Structures are given as C-alpha cells and as structure tokens.
Amino acid sequence: MDADSHGSMWSRLFSRFSGRNEDHLEQVIKEARDDGELKAEEGSMLLSILTLDELQVQDIMTPRTDIDCVASGTSVVEVARAITETGHSRLPVYNGTRDNIIGIAYAKDTLEYLVHPEGHDVSVDRIMRPPFFVPETKISSELLQEFRARKNHLAIVVDEYGGTSGLVTIEDLLEVIVGDIEDEHDAPREEDFRQIGEGEFEISGRAYLEDLAPLGIELESDEVDTLGGYLSLAAGHVPQQDETFELAGWHFTVTDADAKQIHKVCARRLGKEEHQEDVAVEE
C-alpha cells in the first residue's frame, strides 16, 4: 500500500468514527483490518486504545508492595544511589509509612548537588516535587489526558481511605496500547507459570485467574483477581508454605509465601478418582 492510499484509508476510517460509540468504533476497526485497509498491528493498537476507556488505574498500576521509595530526610547522595540501583528516574518520598507519600524525587534534580561534595548531605525534602494523586477507580484514558496536560509521567494511586494503593506511570498506559516496553534497567520478567510435569505447573501467586484458563484451571471470583488472592480468600488468611487446597479439580500447594502474600504455588491436576473423592467429601 503506497503512502497516498494509506493516508486516504486513515481519512476514510476516521471519518466513519464521527458520532459513533465505542461498539461501533470497534466494529469499524475490525472491518478495516479484515478488509486489509489496516495492517494487523495497526488494528490491534487501535483496539487497545479503546480498552483504555474500560480499564481503571488499579488494573494497570504497580501495587504498593512493589513500589521503590525513599524516606523523608534521606540524603541526596543516597537518593542517587537508590535511583541507580532501581533504574527508576523518579522515586516517591514517604514520611513514616508508604501510606504517607509527600513528594517525588527526580534523578535530574540530584545532579547539581552531586557535582559538589557539600551538596551530598542535602535532604531529599529540599529537592522533591509535589506528588500527583489519583484515585484507583480513575479511568485510564482520562489519566493519559491528565498526564499530557500536566506534563507529568507518574501518579500515586490512593484508595478510598486515602492510603497508598500503588503507582502508575505513563509507560504503564502506553504498554496497554503497544505492549511491554523494556529498557536496559528492566529486570528479566518472571513468567506467571511454567510447566514442571504432566498436568503440573508452578504458578506465581500474582497470576490473574483469567490467565489460568488455558491451563484448564477454571477459577472465578468477584472479590479477587489473582491466584494468591483466591487461595487467601478460600483459607480466610494468607496461606503459608506447604498449605494445600483442592479446588476445581486441582490440587494446589503453596510453595513460597510470607506473612503478607503468596509468591509461588504448585498446581497439579487431580485424577478422575481423586476428583470424584474430593467432590464426594465436599458434598
């Protein structure tokens, strides 16, 4: 397809968008992709953009337990060291606990202090910038517009009680559209599950329930999203190592956990006899 026809195609496509709701837009994009007017990757990207209207910030944020932070009063040189170790160009600053985020430290703001030895002990409180707070129920597409308007790249996500729920960046939003964006600082991503035997898997506690369906693990809940959350809900507490469960035709063994969350689970498909016995016991 030459440049003229490609531009004409986009003009026709977006002229059809006017006055259409999201369902109509999705249908238009799919038709254009199927007819060859859109490349497959272009169609996928446009469809992904539409999903931003369906996703809340809590669906894409980094949870509170995984946020890298520095404490109020930390010296500039220690902040720079933390930035180097984590690979983040911005770090939240907390006072007392992570529920009380009071600022954001930018890597570039430490530079003028690092070049002079007398500036090394300056407190991060002196250079931090005000944090941008958003509720965890905020729609992702709206946050993207706010990021653009504010020329901001990071927001602290808070729950309904004002506590820190997580952190979201403009990169998180862009990854919804274009897929994972990795840079030289990113640690290798650990897979959510890996097969360790016939009908047996090692699964991350943070694996989403919906992503387990291809393995044959059918678990649904209106209260939690992850396997670790599901097992914690079933147990009534955070299960610890070696605790076991028999659910939906699978035997789950917690293989790694701490006081707050499940890290790893071994899932083994139950045989017919085992499953029948399990059903009989439940009845």
Side-chain angles (χ1 to χ4, degrees):
M1 182 180 295
D2 58 34
D4 290 341
S5 61
H6 189 272
S8 175
M9 177 276 296
W10 279 101
S11 297
R12 294 197 308 274
L13 179 64
F14 283 103
S15 69
R16 296 168 69 182
F17 280 9
S18 178
R20 300 298 186 94
N21 62 28
E22 186 172 306
D23 290 339
H24 284 118
L25 293 180
E26 182 176 351
Q27 185 61 33
V28 167
I29 293 169
K30 288 180 177 179
E31 289 176 359
R33 183 183 60 186
D34 294 342
D35 292 342
E37 295 181 304
L38 272 177
K39 293 181 180 178
E41 59 270 22
E42 292 173 336
S44 296
M45 188 177 298
L46 286 172
L47 291 172
S48 295
I49 291 173
L50 294 182
T51 66
L52 287 177
D53 286 332
E54 303 172 358
L55 291 174
Q56 295 183 340
V57 169
Q58 62 184 336
D59 296 322
I60 62 173
M61 70 181 184
T62 298
R64 177 180 183 273
T65 53
D66 290 345
I67 298 177
D68 293 309
C69 303
V70 293
S72 172
T74 302
S75 67
V76 166
V77 71
E78 288 298 325
V79 171
R81 183 173 291 111
I83 287 171
T84 300
E85 291 174 351
T86 63
H88 301 308
S89 60
R90 301 167 179 82
L91 289 177
V93 181
Y94 66 91
N95 184 16
T97 72
R98 296 188 184 198
D99 277 328
N100 187 22
I101 301 295
I102 60 173
I104 306 294
Y106 283 56
K108 62 183 180 181
D109 292 340
T110 68
L111 296 179
E112 64 175 292
Y113 296 92
L114 294 177
V115 296
H116 303 293
E118 61 271 20
H120 289 188
D121 292 329
V122 169
S123 170
V124 67
D125 300 61
R126 181 171 168 181
I127 67 166
M128 68 185 183
R129 304 190 189 192
F132 171 36
F133 295 104
V134 298
E136 57 187 7
T137 54
K138 190 174 191 65
I139 300 301
S140 296
S141 59
E142 295 175 0
L143 178 60
L144 181 59
Q145 294 301 322
E146 287 195 40
F147 273 157
R148 292 181 60 195
R150 298 170 62 97
K151 295 181 172 56
N152 203 333
H153 290 184
L154 180 151
I156 302 299
V157 185
V158 294
D159 60 26
E160 60 183 308
Y161 304 105
T164 300
S165 181
L167 175 151
V168 63
T169 67
I170 195 168
E171 181 178 303
D172 295 324
L173 295 168
L174 294 177
E175 285 184 341
V176 174
I177 300 171
V178 301
D180 288 343
I181 303 172
E182 295 187 2
D183 59 35
E184 65 273 20
H185 299 297
D186 286 338
R189 183 176 176 179
E190 186 177 7
E191 295 298 329
D192 283 339
F193 56 84
R194 65 183 183 91
Q195 187 164 4
I196 56 178
E198 183 65 30
E200 190 171 5
F201 300 89
E202 182 182 68
I203 305 175
S204 166
R206 290 189 176 172
Y208 287 107
L209 298 179
E210 61 188 34
D211 293 337
L212 300 181
L215 306 181
I217 302 176
E218 302 287 346
L219 299 175
E220 296 182 1
S221 174
D222 293 329
E223 299 180 61
V224 296
D225 298 318
T226 66
L227 177 59
Y230 191 93
L231 297 181
S232 296
L233 185 65
H237 62 271
V238 179
Q240 295 302 291
Q241 186 170 330
D242 296 331
E243 286 195 50
T244 63
F245 303 82
E246 291 189 359
L247 301 165
W250 288 79
H251 180 90
F252 298 96
T253 302
V254 177
T255 57
D256 184 15
D258 59 30
K260 296 181 178 180
Q261 60 184 316
I262 296 172
H263 298 295
K264 291 289 182 184
V265 176
C266 177
R268 177 177 59 84
R269 190 191 303 273
L270 293 172
K272 290 184 179 180
E273 293 183 1
E274 292 177 294
H275 185 42
Q276 288 173 351
E277 290 175 1
D278 178 42
V279 172
V281 170
E282 291 180 345
E283 295 177 347

